[in-house]
Amino acid sequence: NAGVMQNPRHLVRRRGQEARLRCSPMKGHSHVYWYRQLPEEGLKFMVYLQKENIIDESGMPKERFSAEFPKEGPSILRIQQVVRGDSAAYFCASSPTGGANNSPLHFGNGTRLTVT
Amino acid sequence: AQSVSQHNHHVILSEAASLELGCNYSYGGTVNLFWYVQYPGQHLQLLLKYFSGDPLVKGIKGFEAEFIKSKFSFNLRKPSVQWSDTAEYFCAAKAAGNKLTFGGGTRVLVKP
């Protein structure tokens, strides 16, 4: 049973370009979470999605960031017009249920974004 | 707002020493608590979790944590660390229906 798959593992973008980060949840998981880990900081929640729905995007910056989890295919975190401050590790996690408490999150290996 | 705080950002200790990492959360009501570990270059892995019942929780790799409701704490312990325990440790909390909130992490360096 494959775990949470994220790609690419490393992504380098110049300022102003777009970054697309992909996450395929574990089989049977329909809830996806995105977290950002900045250097020397902990993980900050960004967004929580179910298939075709954004449930909680309270951690998403208001501009340039968007996320989707379509009916078919992986979840995508999209960052438009990247700036140096977007450089971070972005982790995706999934769970079989979202509201239920007894479902720990399973994390992917992360995508390390570097903006030059 | 819900929050999780970890007392130490960095801990350095020698092999065979005992480890205790502090974690406090700021929820009222029912909360589920977790400790995750991130080894260098790897993803987060679940060490242990508390949902209900016995407040002393045993996890993998010899770790345990104690939930003290009156102190809003969930400290992680290991009686005797190994060099391979060098990692970053994250405490996390989740209230019903809410997102998982992480503490700032504690980097542990175990010297051989």
Side-chain angles (χ1 to χ4, degrees), chain A residues 21 26 28 75 115:
Chain A
L21 289 65
M26 283 182 71
S75 175
V115 179

Side-chain angles (χ1 to χ4, degrees), chain A:
Chain A
N1 188 13
V4 178
M5 305 298 293
Q6 287 187 251
N7 67 81
R9 190 76 188 269
H10 299 275
L11 181 62
V12 179
R13 285 287 179 267
R14 290 200 187 98
R15 278 183 299 170
Q17 291 184 319
E18 179 179 286
R20 279 181 180 248
L21 289 65
R22 294 175 184 76
C23 169
S24 296
M26 283 182 71
K27 188 175 181 181
H29 288 194
S30 58
H31 298 254
V32 165
Y33 304 76
W34 285 94
Y35 285 81
R36 177 165 62 176
Q37 185 179 30
L38 291 163
E40 302 300 319
E41 293 187 26
L43 287 96
K44 302 296 184 188
F45 169 81
M46 298 184 75
V47 62
Y48 160 37
L49 310 104
Q50 292 180 39
K51 285 283 187 182
E52 299 184 280
N53 286 307
I54 296 175
I55 307 302
D56 182 347
E57 56 181 347
S58 57
M60 287 278 272
K62 293 286 185 276
E63 297 176 348
R64 303 187 297 108
F65 284 71
S66 62
E68 63 177 13
F69 188 18
K71 188 176 179 181
E72 301 291 337
S75 175
I76 306 286
L77 179 67
R78 183 179 174 210
I79 311 172
Q80 295 178 289
Q81 299 175 323
V82 295
V83 300
R84 287 219 173 96
D86 297 332
S87 295
Y90 292 82
F91 288 94
C92 172
S94 72
S95 71
T97 60
N101 290 328
N102 55 347
S103 53
L105 301 189
H106 298 263
F107 282 83
N109 284 329
T111 294
R112 196 162 297 276
L113 172 66
T114 302
V115 179
T116 61

Side-chain angles (χ1 to χ4, degrees), chain B residues 58-70:
Chain B
K58 303 284 187 186
I60 61 171
K61 306 188 181 188
F63 285 91
E64 64 178 30
E66 185 176 11
F67 169 55
I68 303 180
K69 189 174 181 179
S70 61

Side-chain angles (χ1 to χ4, degrees), chain B residues 40-107:
Chain B
Q42 296 187 27
H43 64 283
L44 279 83
Q45 302 172 42
L46 182 67
L47 268 181
L48 48 78
K49 58 185 184 287
Y50 172 79
F51 294 139
S52 63
D54 188 345
L56 186 60
V57 180
K58 303 284 187 186
I60 61 171
K61 306 188 181 188
F63 285 91
E64 64 178 30
E66 185 176 11
F67 169 55
I68 303 180
K69 189 174 181 179
S70 61
K71 294 184 178 180
F72 295 89
S73 70
F74 189 56
N75 292 355
L76 180 72
R77 298 193 292 253
K78 184 168 183 178
S80 176
V81 295
Q82 301 171 312
W83 175 80
S84 58
D85 293 321
T86 293
E88 189 159 15
Y89 293 81
F90 293 94
C91 181
K94 185 170 187 278
N98 287 346
K99 56 187 177 286
L100 190 65
T101 300
F102 285 87
T106 300
R107 287 179 186 249

